[in-house]
Structure formats: structure tokens, C-alpha cells
Amino acid sequence: MIRKKTLPEREQELRSLIATPAGQEQLQELASRYSAASDRLRPAGTSAITYILVHERGQGLISR
């Protein structure tokens, strides 16, 4: 069984992607996929990281 990541672990993982253009593109793609899957637009002013974390937490992919 795969261990769920904690919120700080997942946030750090996502923040490390910001450092490179390829990582930034990955963040945008993931946020877009989550938006399409949930039929919820990312609120204006919300970062892709925040949107991803909220979605993953709501799906039970992040442990407390």
C-alpha cells in the first residue's frame, strides 16, 4: 500500500516544481486536469499549487 503524503510534504513537492519552466508547465497541466475532472474553475487569484492541494485533499489523496 502506498503511503499518503502529508499536506506539508505535498506542498513542498509542488513548490519545487516552480523553479523550472517545465515544472511550472506541469503544475498548470495538473491544475487544468483537476479543473476538468471536477468541473470547477480555479478561482481568480488562487495559485495552481493551492488549487491542486485543495483538490487532492478533497479526494482523500493527502493525509492529515
Side-chain angles (χ1 to χ4, degrees):
M1 184 169 152
I2 298 173
R3 181 182 75 82
K4 291 181 183 179
K5 295 179 181 168
T6 65
L7 183 61
E9 288 172 336
R10 183 60 173 147
E11 183 176 10
Q12 182 59 38
E13 183 178 274
L14 294 172
R15 288 197 181 281
S16 70
L17 294 174
I18 292 176
T20 65
Q24 292 172 14
E25 188 175 320
Q26 286 179 332
L27 287 173
Q28 293 305 322
E29 288 175 10
L30 186 56
S32 293
R33 279 201 333 245
Y34 285 172
S35 178
S38 67
D39 287 329
R40 290 180 43 203
L41 296 175
R42 187 169 98 199
T46 303
S47 74
I49 291 174
T50 300
Y51 185 79
I52 291 166
L53 291 172
V54 168
H55 178 83
E56 289 180 352
R57 193 164 190 188
Q59 296 296 310
L61 301 173
I62 296 175
S63 70
R64 294 182 185 246

